[in-house]
């Protein structure tokens, strides 16, 4: 290799085996599960029941073979227990109201959204996979859905409430978990000469989307379930089977 050629990230890691040692599977298992911290000042979820049931999967099936076959998402849900995020997500997304349908567990919805983004899937496609008897088995197990599934409009509404600021807060909590379990070599309170900068991707931003639907009519704001004018015209449309759909259509109608 020429002296002027910079090493790639993979090459740099290969030269620092000691740094990677804490992330070997045998060492990791001593620290698992990695549990998100829970803010004691957050109130309980305003929703007493959910239509899905997130449960941490455990890590018993993590081994050298499955590390090669599992996707990064499937590995992450075995490394991290996302359960303590429930009150944080619920506080930002759900209102203390008895109106409307019983919602899905916020961690189930959050993980479904993570899966969609990891795979660069449309909402329509990720929900097709979730419902599929065989293709969706692993995804249902990871997220906690069983035989009741969100609509496309419901997922869109949830992701609309999942602001960049909230996602950055979750990312910061995840980094803190790694510090607390000793998986990161430099702690935030280290001496200045020993500190290193570690950050997550800060490029999250709201897309320039006006969410316009050319088929919106007054009937779109009637109580669900209701017919979807877009589907009646042979377009994709949505299921129009819950209140969240009307909220989305309202944004579409009044977009500037």
């Amino acid at each position: 290799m020429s002296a002027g050629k910079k090493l790639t990230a993979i090459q740099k890691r290969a030269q620092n085996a000691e740094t990677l040692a804490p992330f070997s599977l045998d060492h990791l298992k001593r620290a698992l599960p990695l549990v998100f911290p829970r803010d004691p000042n957050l109130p309980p979820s305003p929703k007493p029941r959910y239509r899905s049931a997130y449960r941490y999967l455990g890590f018993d099936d993590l081994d050298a073979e499955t590390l090669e076959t599992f996707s990064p998402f499937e590995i992450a849900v075995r490394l991290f227990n996302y359960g303590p995020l429930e009150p944080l997500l619920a506080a930002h997304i759900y209102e203390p109201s008895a109106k409307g349908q019983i919602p899905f567990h916020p961690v189930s919805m959050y993980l479904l959204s993570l899966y969609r983004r990891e795979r660069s899937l449309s909402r329509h496609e990720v929900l097709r996979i979730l419902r599929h008897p065989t293709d969706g088995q692993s995804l249902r197990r990871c997220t906690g859905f069983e035989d009741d599934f969100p609509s496309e409009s419901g997922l869109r509404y949830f992701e609309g409430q999942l602001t960049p600021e909230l996602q950055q807060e979750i990312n910061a909590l995840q980094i803190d978990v790694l510090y607390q379990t000793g998986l990161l070599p430099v702690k935030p309170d280290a001496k200045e000469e020993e500190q290193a900068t570690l950050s997550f991707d800060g490029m999250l931003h709201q897309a320039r989307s006006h969410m316009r639907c050319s088929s919106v009519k007054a009937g779109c704001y009637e109580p669900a379930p209701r017919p979807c004018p877009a589907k009646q015209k042979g377009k994709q449309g949505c299921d129009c089977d819950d209140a969240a759909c009307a909220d989305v259509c309202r944004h579409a109608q009044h977009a500037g």
Side-chain angles (χ1 to χ4, degrees), residues 22 27 177-185 187:
H27 189 279
V177 173
L178 298 177
Y179 275 123
Q180 298 303 324
T181 52
L183 291 172
L184 296 181
K187 297 187 181 298

Side-chain angles (χ1 to χ4, degrees), residues 111-128:
L111 292 176
L112 181 63
S113 179
L114 285 186
Y115 178 88
R116 185 178 84 82
R117 283 187 285 165
E118 183 212 359
R119 302 282 181 108
S120 299
L121 299 172
S122 68
R123 296 184 184 92
H124 178 78
E125 178 63 13
V126 77
L127 292 173
R128 183 199 68 77

Side-chain angles (χ1 to χ4, degrees), residues 46-63:
K47 300 299 183 181
R49 293 182 295 149
Y50 297 119
R51 293 157 63 191
S52 60
Y54 167 77
R55 296 288 184 274
Y56 170 61
L57 289 182
F59 53 90
D60 291 342
D61 57 353
L62 274 183
D63 53 40

Side-chain angles (χ1 to χ4, degrees), residues 25-26 29 61-70:
L25 185 57
D26 289 341
K29 284 191 172 183
D61 57 353
L62 274 183
D63 53 40
E65 182 178 348
T66 55
L67 282 178
E68 294 296 325
T69 57
F70 282 162

Side-chain angles (χ1 to χ4, degrees), residues 35-90:
V35 182
F36 278 84
R38 178 171 180 164
D39 185 347
N41 297 317
L42 279 174
S45 170
K47 300 299 183 181
R49 293 182 295 149
Y50 297 119
R51 293 157 63 191
S52 60
Y54 167 77
R55 296 288 184 274
Y56 170 61
L57 289 182
F59 53 90
D60 291 342
D61 57 353
L62 274 183
D63 53 40
E65 182 178 348
T66 55
L67 282 178
E68 294 296 325
T69 57
F70 282 162
S71 69
F73 175 82
E74 291 171 317
I75 294 173
V77 295
R78 288 163 171 83
L79 297 180
F80 287 90
N81 179 356
Y82 289 84
L85 290 180
E86 179 202 355
L88 175 63
L89 289 167

Side-chain angles (χ1 to χ4, degrees), residues 100-146:
Q101 290 184 324
I102 298 171
F104 292 96
H105 197 294
V107 175
S108 296
M109 295 292 286
Y110 177 70
L111 292 176
L112 181 63
S113 179
L114 285 186
Y115 178 88
R116 185 178 84 82
R117 283 187 285 165
E118 183 212 359
R119 302 282 181 108
S120 299
L121 299 172
S122 68
R123 296 184 184 92
H124 178 78
E125 178 63 13
V126 77
L127 292 173
R128 183 199 68 77
I129 294 172
L130 184 68
R131 296 186 182 101
H132 196 277
T134 54
D135 294 350
Q137 283 183 347
S138 176
L139 180 56
R140 290 194 296 273
R141 184 165 178 252
C142 291
T143 54
F145 293 100
E146 294 183 1

